[in-house]
Amino acid sequence: MTTVTKLAVTGMTCGHCVSAVTNELKGVPDVQDVSVELHAGDTSLVRVISKLPLAEAPLRDAVDEAGYDVTDVEVLENAVAAESAAQAPARQANRSLPIISS
């Protein structure tokens, strides 16, 4: 099972900011990967990948150590299955056969 913890982070404006947050979060035990969707001057989306759900406090502390603020946290357990289920209707629509009139 894969868990994705989404963090809404304010204050990041550049690649250096992304690097600082990524490096701090990768230092948290059990974090497997980190990706950042930078929205300079707005709220950026940080995804933290782990096998099991992570405690919120160490993630907030890591972002704080990098110099930024977490404004929201969302945890998606069994994220791969949830994402796959959410995309299923679109995949099914793409598989529909065209109607051919004679």
Side-chain angles (χ1 to χ4, degrees), residues 27-73:
V28 174
D30 300 320
V31 168
Q32 292 180 320
D33 198 16
V34 176
S35 67
V36 178
E37 187 177 306
L38 178 65
H39 297 278
D42 202 357
T43 303
S44 297
L45 177 62
V46 179
R47 290 179 183 87
V48 180
I49 311 297
S50 58
K51 285 194 185 258
L52 299 172
L54 300 168
E56 187 176 318
L59 299 176
R60 285 183 177 275
D61 290 346
V63 173
D64 183 64
E65 184 67 27
Y68 307 98
D69 296 312
V70 175
T71 59
D72 190 37
V73 178

